[in-house]
Amino acid sequence: MNDVAARAQVSLKTVSRVVNGDAGVVEGTRRRVLDAISQLGFRRNDSARQLRIGRAAEIGLLVEDVGDPFYSTVTRAVERVAAANDCLLFTGSCDDDPERERKLALALCARRVDGLLIVPASADHAYLASELDSGLPVVFIDRPPVNLDTDAVLADNVGGARSAVAHLIAAGHRRIGFVGDDPDIYTARRRLLGFRQEMAAHGLDVDEAWIAVGEPGAGRLRRHAERLRDKLEQLLDGPAAVTALFTGNNRITTQVLRELALRDADAGAVLPRPALVGFDDFEFADLVTPGVTVVAQDPAALGRTAAALLFERLAGLTEPARQVVLPTRLVVRGSGELPPPA
Amino acid sequence: MNDVAARAQVSLKTVSRVVNGDAGVVEGTRRRVLDAISQLGFRRNDSARQLRIGRAAEIGLLVEDVGDPFYSTVTRAVERVAAANDCLLFTGSCDDDPERERKLALALCARRVDGLLIVPASADHAYLASELDSGLPVVFIDRPPVNLDTDAVLADNVGGARSAVAHLIAAGHRRIGFVGDDPDIYTARRRLLGFRQEMAAHGLDVDEAWIAVGEPGAGRLRRHAERLRDKLEQLLDGPAAVTALFTGNNRITTQVLRELALRDADAGAVLPRPALVGFDDFEFADLVTPGVTVVAQDPAALGRTAAALLFERLAGLTEPARQVVLPTRLVVRGSGELPPPA
């Protein structure tokens, strides 16, 4: 409101009268205020509502699955920033279903939320363009927007994957398998890219049989888990067996650990473990044996940073779309330091 | 709306005209409709709003901490029911701060949400009485309402705790420690009660030195964790040492496992473990050594059931407040079957 008043060179009261559609504002002044509003991307409708009923601000957060510790930590961090701003929070899980993302996002826009934070499931976000034009601030988390020019906060997926692979190579491994999520998903694709880049940087050829990734579509994690046993058998006992594994996210790391435990149970003995580095830290990484070496990203920082960017926009910041990339951190616990069999 | 129309013996159209304050409804009819509305606890304002702008329904969910796997699972289950009802969901974490619960709940009421699901932090919910009177359906989860007559969905905390203690006694233990949360919290209090009841049922005296519970207040879990090392030392090595532990929730079980691992690390050897049964299942319970025997409650069923009760109320159900108690399940994995030292 202050920015609008300043730019239109009128009083706040005049702005609010224009916004409320009050009569008795001369046309030239009304025009100046509306021009200032459109130049500043000010949300006329919401502001009008706020001026009328003084409701608290509301923002929406869409994630893949709030039941996943990664996303529940993101959600918790966003909640803290929202609470600090006396702002209410809508949340929803998209299950990597583009239609569900679109439906939820547009339902929140229809509710006239003041801003949106989105971990996108879809590969085209043009459907939000008109909302952006009308002044709705939107910040993407974990995955960047496609066909939409807006803020995003991402992790350094390529760099993190490269540090994981470099760590395994430093431990003496040359045959390294990648077990990852569906490469249609941005983060999975970037981590696979980092895997390939680091192998190439060390002059190591990648046998495509070493790469086990999930297929697209809903329920893909369940299907991935179902096929993991066979994939691991190929990776660990097949003709092109590897001596180390790089797992692409916390859920896949957990699935692999469970399968390795089942192999031990079937064998009635603790079989020699492949070296393992996982992308994403998780609560029990230090309590299993051996402790799991991970490339930790900081989901709380992802949520916190994205929410902070959103509230800067809500405060009237109008600079061009920003992309923030947060670093990852290698946490050494034992599984990533196992040497290859002599 | 249908209930109101039926009770007032008028058409739906007449109800909506009265609700919308349209002129041209004879006074006697208007009175009948309004009486029916107040008798049925129908929410006049919201319904008016819904009829006017046809907005989607919105409900609010307050939990202790959405970052905790237990509550993120509850949240996920509520989300699914809300989505199936084309209903948007507000969420918030109270951190067991009664003031924060009150502030969030009343902010959601001011937003005119259609219903509330609450895992309460406070010990007095009379502040919601007027909202209830005005027809807002409220369902409590995990902990019952106090000074408020409304639906609640709880776990069988006493029965679950008794089954855990009975299992340890069956393994030969007589000296059993209880490591639990602040007994000011309903679930913690009930689980301690179940511990005492089952010990008494077996004619076993409880040495109060065997009971290590947290203190009240914000940050209590962190403080509990900080003091846990000393408490465990007393419980396991003190003059009144126990041979088995019953831990009161998933977070405390995790803290105890971490402390036991640190004891091993300090000793440079795997020390003999006390038998352990934890209340609440958790993802890695089968991946640590030994596997952790737990009394599993079903957080998804808690959220699903509570949301279903709420939507029954939103559909017009007017029967008296209901309390649903969900059973627990003992899951045997190894830690709870360790015998006492010979």
Side-chain angles (χ1 to χ4, degrees), chain B residues 246-264:
Chain B
F246 170 47
T247 49
N249 66 37
N250 61 327
R251 286 160 298 183
I252 287 170
T253 305
T254 304
Q255 292 172 358
V256 166
L257 291 173
R258 185 156 279 115
E259 286 301 330
L260 292 173
L262 288 172
R263 281 164 54 92
D264 291 352

Side-chain angles (χ1 to χ4, degrees), chain B residues 138-215:
Chain B
V138 180
V139 178
F140 279 60
I141 304 175
D142 193 45
R143 310 166 188 178
V146 180
N147 303 325
L148 192 72
D149 183 35
T150 192
D151 295 343
V153 181
L154 313 172
D156 180 9
N157 294 290
V158 172
R162 293 192 65 156
S163 69
V165 173
H167 188 69
L168 290 167
I169 292 171
H173 298 277
R174 298 291 175 268
R175 306 171 62 82
I176 302 173
F178 175 80
V179 186
D181 206 341
D182 167 22
D184 283 359
I185 294 166
Y186 172 82
T187 48
R189 188 165 62 247
R190 299 287 291 175
R191 293 165 196 178
L192 177 54
L193 176 64
F195 167 81
R196 292 187 185 278
Q197 282 184 357
E198 192 64 20
M199 292 292 277
H202 292 265
L204 298 173
D205 292 334
V206 173
D207 182 332
E208 291 307 311
W210 296 349
I211 295 176
V213 295
E215 292 88 10

Side-chain angles (χ1 to χ4, degrees), chain B residues 86-123:
Chain B
D86 280 319
C87 175
L88 293 171
L89 179 66
F90 281 105
T91 57
S93 300
C94 302
D95 290 316
D96 275 320
D97 173 352
E99 208 25 60
R100 176 137 182 77
E101 170 204 312
R102 188 193 174 89
K103 190 182 166 208
L104 272 170
L106 292 178
L108 290 168
C109 293
R111 271 292 303 106
R112 301 237 213 89
V113 291
D114 300 287
L116 277 184
L117 295 161
I118 302 184
V119 177
S122 71

Side-chain angles (χ1 to χ4, degrees), chain B residues 282-331:
Chain B
F282 54 97
E283 189 176 17
F284 277 76
D286 62 329
L287 288 178
V288 294
T289 309
V292 181
T293 294
V294 299
V295 173
Q297 50 178 332
D298 186 343
L302 275 175
R304 197 167 52 240
T305 306
L309 294 187
L310 187 71
F311 280 99
E312 283 177 21
R313 295 294 185 187
L314 287 171
L317 181 78
T318 55
E319 72 180 45
R322 302 162 292 180
Q323 186 170 100
V324 179
V325 176
L326 300 179
T328 61
R329 189 170 47 91
L330 185 77
V331 184

Side-chain angles (χ1 to χ4, degrees), chain A residues 49 55-56 58-59 63-69 72-73 75-76 79-80 83 86-95 100 103-104 107-108 111 250-251 253-254 257-259 261 282-289, chain B residues 49 53 55-56 58-59 63-69 72-73 75-76 79-80 83 86-95 100 103-104 107-108 111 250-251 254 257-259 261 282-289:
Chain A
R49 257 180 89 220
R55 88 198 206 294
E58 300 164 3
I59 63 174
V63 299
E64 180 184 341
D65 174 6
V66 74
D68 178 315
S72 65
T73 305
T75 302
R76 181 65 171 134
E79 260 188 7
R80 290 187 195 278
D86 279 319
C87 175
L88 293 170
L89 180 67
F90 282 106
T91 58
S93 300
C94 302
D95 290 316
R100 175 138 183 77
K103 191 180 165 206
L104 272 170
L108 290 168
R111 276 293 310 113
N250 60 328
R251 287 160 298 183
T253 304
T254 304
L257 291 174
R258 185 157 279 114
E259 284 302 330
F282 54 97
E283 188 175 18
F284 278 76
D286 61 329
L287 288 178
V288 294
T289 308
Chain B
R49 253 178 94 221
I53 66 173
R55 87 197 206 297
E58 299 164 3
I59 62 173
V63 298
E64 179 183 341
D65 173 6
V66 74
D68 178 315
S72 65
T73 305
T75 302
R76 182 64 171 134
E79 261 187 7
R80 290 188 195 278
D86 280 319
C87 175
L88 293 171
L89 179 66
F90 281 105
T91 57
S93 300
C94 302
D95 290 316
R100 176 137 182 77
K103 190 182 166 208
L104 272 170
L108 290 168
R111 271 292 303 106
N250 61 327
R251 286 160 298 183
T254 304
L257 291 173
R258 185 156 279 115
E259 286 301 330
F282 54 97
E283 189 176 17
F284 277 76
D286 62 329
L287 288 178
V288 294
T289 309

